Amino acid sequence: MEPSALRDDMVASLEHEMKGLVRSEYVGLALRTVPRHEFVPLEAHEGAYTDQSFDHRGTKILSPSTVAQLLEALDVRETDSVLVVGAGVGYTSAVLAEIVGEENVHAVDITRTVVYEARQNLASAGYGGVFVDCRDGADGLPEYAPFDRIVVEAASIRPPHALVEQLTPDGRLVVPLGGGTQQLAAVERTHDGTPEVAEEFGTVAFSPLLVDGEQADTIERNRTDREDREFAERHFQTRRGWEHEWIDWDGYGL
């Protein structure tokens, strides 16, 4: 079957069978246009237009339904300037480029090899005008700020301060918030510049936002706030000291 027909089937499923994940006409059109197979490894081409995610070089290629959920939450407009934090393989950036134009899409990733691959994928798919740079995502891209929309493809305990600062006054930041349980949230700036969760879009599961010194494609990683808390919760449940060996006094005839 031709890729265009496979994309039509994929989006139709997201529109009708998967709880209406695609509701906006412009999101559906963009998903129908971008050649997703250009953004997945050759061995995964067969599943490119199914609702699957793939692990790839320490990062995750998001499923079409997850990308649709992010874009619907982002509520992007045709003339918006957009920043994607966590460039990954470049697929989300390509879909956004179909909506707002390549020159209005910027992406950053902390892992250099991921950045190189995203650039190659975007160029191969016809979106070479998307700007992709190697940066700590939590720092954003101040040289190109402010942004009307910022989407983060990684979880954070709280909205990163620098990203909130780089929003336009009526801008929107979409980010998975939380440690163990994450909520996909749309964050906006109040009149005094502080972040406020304006809307939530359900439970999600993203990898933690990496910080300076961490790389997605390495085995060793610094522990994040999320991992520290999960470790503490597990450790709290373990028995230690005198609780470790319970003495059965009845066995001694007392």
Side-chain angles (χ1 to χ4, degrees):
M1 190 179 293
E2 287 295 316
S4 59
L6 292 171
R7 289 195 294 274
D8 281 342
D9 288 348
M10 177 187 79
V11 177
S13 174
L14 297 175
E15 289 173 333
H16 306 298
E17 297 173 22
M18 299 189 67
K19 301 179 181 178
L21 283 175
V22 173
R23 300 182 300 278
S24 306
E25 184 178 347
Y26 66 89
V27 172
L29 180 59
L31 289 168
R32 282 184 166 93
T33 305
V34 175
R36 180 173 162 80
H37 61 274
E38 295 283 0
F39 296 89
V40 300
L42 186 60
E43 62 272 16
H45 273 195
E46 189 175 333
Y49 295 108
T50 61
D51 193 43
Q52 296 183 56
S53 60
F54 303 96
D55 293 319
H56 179 61
R57 294 187 178 180
T59 188
K60 185 175 285 293
I61 303 173
L62 300 181
S63 66
S65 61
T66 301
V67 174
Q69 189 177 12
L70 290 173
L71 295 180
E72 290 288 357
L74 198 60
D75 190 26
V76 70
R77 297 162 298 191
E78 201 172 287
T79 57
D80 282 346
S81 176
V82 184
L83 174 64
V84 179
V85 175
V89 294
Y91 179 64
T92 304
S93 298
V95 179
L96 282 166
E98 276 293 331
I99 300 170
V100 303
E102 298 173 45
E103 69 281 0
N104 289 324
V105 180
H106 311 74
V108 295
D109 203 288
I110 201 168
T111 304
R112 191 167 299 278
T113 54
V114 170
V115 169
Y116 290 154
E117 184 166 5
R119 289 174 179 169
Q120 292 170 356
N121 291 341
L122 285 161
S124 297
Y127 304 97
V130 173
F131 179 84
V132 187
D133 201 14
C134 185
R135 301 289 184 94
D136 183 339
D139 294 337
L141 196 61
E143 303 96 311
Y144 292 85
F147 298 100
D148 300 295
R149 297 290 187 268
I150 299 176
V151 58
V152 184
E153 295 191 358
S156 180
I157 301 299
R158 59 192 67 84
H161 177 73
L163 298 184
V164 176
E165 287 291 308
Q166 290 171 35
L167 286 173
T168 58
D170 61 344
R172 168 177 282 218
L173 165 68
V174 169
V175 55
L177 292 179
T181 301
Q182 304 165 10
Q183 286 288 328
L184 185 63
V187 178
E188 298 176 355
R189 295 174 66 179
T190 61
H191 65 279
D192 62 357
T194 58
E196 179 179 72
V197 174
E199 201 170 351
E200 291 186 339
F201 300 90
T203 303
V204 290
F206 280 78
S207 298
L209 183 65
L210 300 182
V211 299
D212 191 25
E214 296 180 337
Q215 294 283 294
D217 56 355
T218 57
I219 297 175
E220 296 286 338
R221 283 184 45 205
N222 300 325
R223 284 211 304 268
T224 63
D225 287 344
R226 172 189 175 190
E227 290 164 331
D228 282 338
R229 181 165 59 256
E230 289 176 349
F231 174 83
E233 288 171 353
R234 288 195 304 270
H235 188 62
F236 181 77
Q237 300 299 326
T238 61
R239 295 182 300 177
R240 53 194 181 274
W242 63 269
E243 297 171 332
H244 190 70
E245 295 292 341
W246 184 262
I247 301 174
D248 181 8
W249 292 110
D250 292 337
Y252 288 89
L254 298 177

